[in-house]
Amino acid sequence: MMQKAWLYVAATSFFELVWIFGFNTASEWWHWIPIVAFIFVDFHFLTKACAALPTGTVYAIFAAVGTIGTALMDVLFFGQTLSGGKLFFIAVLVAGVIGLKLADGRDEKTQTEGGN
């Protein structure tokens, strides 16, 4: 079950980037129809992930992937640049997500050993 939950985290992170890309490219009213559909799919996977994993960890990953992915999307697709400051804070986000995952792993191990 835990592996499936991580697939939900990956799916929600992917679909978040899809609809954010849509926000940047929509130019007609009907472009918003698939964007809204992707938002619903995204939140479906987000809910499934939060049902099986700690919500704080899921949201941290979701937010980090969205932030990092959006910054990279801006560079790759929309001609923006990455400054040293942006790169530094992207690194801080990645370190924070890794730290949360490590802390959750320790918490789960402590709960299992402690009989909670």
Side-chain angles (χ1 to χ4, degrees), residues 21-28 31-32 35:
F21 180 81
F23 275 14
N24 285 306
T25 58
S27 59
E28 302 288 334
H31 292 168
W32 292 96
I35 293 169

Side-chain angles (χ1 to χ4, degrees), residues 11-83:
T12 191
S13 298
F14 171 76
F15 284 109
E16 178 186 24
L17 293 175
V18 170
W19 63 259
I20 290 172
F21 180 81
F23 275 14
N24 285 306
T25 58
S27 59
E28 302 288 334
W29 70 267
W30 58 269
H31 292 168
W32 292 96
I33 295 169
I35 293 169
V36 170
F38 280 119
I39 291 170
F40 279 107
V41 171
D42 179 24
F43 286 124
H44 167 75
F45 286 116
L46 180 63
T47 324
K48 299 283 249 178
C50 288
L53 295 169
T55 301
T57 301
V58 171
Y59 188 73
I61 293 169
F62 175 79
V65 168
T67 303
I68 294 165
T70 301
L72 294 176
M73 205 182 326
D74 283 346
V75 171
L76 296 173
F77 300 122
F78 303 111
Q80 300 295 317
T81 60
L82 275 179
S83 65

